[in-house]
Amino acid sequence: MFSPANARAMSAYRQVGVQTMVDSASPQQLIKMLFDGLLASIHAAKGAMERLDIGEKVRHIGKAIRILQEGLLGALDREKGGELASNLASLYEYCTAQLTLANARNDVAMVDEVAGLVTTVAQGWNEITNAPATAGA
């Protein structure tokens, strides 16, 4: 039903859609997208581990680590963010180390731990960014 040319066209269409979302997103929405992508990669890595699909495990853990290091850690403003930014940096570095060990040891429990930590921070981020602005703030 789909030829390789159609599959390439569909992939290009999806890429344009993603790029459009990124281009029009606020900084808060971009961080939410990073958390969403991070969690998707972590869950995909766990699934690959359970299926014993080493190639997919490595790919998804690598993607999760890149999101942590280049996206979330790179987005922190340590001057303006103070202690909170410092604590988040420590958490992101811990998650990176845990995912690296989980990859080497093929340890699903370590991946679950990181997923739990990231989920907590992502939920907090969503609550902060969705909260109504207070008058005079």
Side-chain angles (χ1 to χ4, degrees), residues 25-35 125-126 128-129:
S26 70
Q28 293 81 10
Q29 290 169 320
L30 289 173
I31 298 299
K32 182 185 181 319
M33 293 168 139
L34 287 171
F35 279 124
W125 180 258
N126 288 336
I128 290 168
T129 57

Side-chain angles (χ1 to χ4, degrees), residues 54-55 72 80 119:
I54 295 170
L72 294 170
K80 292 180 184 175
T119 297

Side-chain angles (χ1 to χ4, degrees), residues 54-77:
I54 295 170
E56 282 298 296
K57 173 194 74 163
V58 169
R59 186 173 75 80
H60 288 296
I61 287 180
K63 184 176 180 180
I65 289 172
R66 285 189 59 215
I67 291 170
L68 282 163
Q69 292 178 335
E70 297 171 20
L72 294 170
L73 192 57
L76 291 176
D77 185 338

Side-chain angles (χ1 to χ4, degrees), residues 15 24 31 99 101 127 129:
Q15 290 297 329
S24 64
I31 298 299
L99 287 174
L101 285 173
E127 288 175 17
T129 57

Side-chain angles (χ1 to χ4, degrees), residues 51-119:
R51 293 187 311 277
L52 304 176
D53 187 340
I54 295 170
E56 282 298 296
K57 173 194 74 163
V58 169
R59 186 173 75 80
H60 288 296
I61 287 180
K63 184 176 180 180
I65 289 172
R66 285 189 59 215
I67 291 170
L68 282 163
Q69 292 178 335
E70 297 171 20
L72 294 170
L73 192 57
L76 291 176
D77 185 338
R78 294 181 193 222
E79 285 183 30
K80 292 180 184 175
E83 186 179 354
L84 176 61
S86 179
N87 290 342
L88 286 171
S90 295
L91 177 68
Y92 298 155
E93 290 165 357
Y94 174 78
C95 288
T96 297
Q98 290 301 96
L99 287 174
T100 301
L101 285 173
N103 188 25
R105 297 176 182 169
N106 211 41
D107 190 330
V108 173
M110 294 176 92
V111 172
D112 284 338
E113 177 194 9
V114 172
L117 293 169
V118 170
T119 297

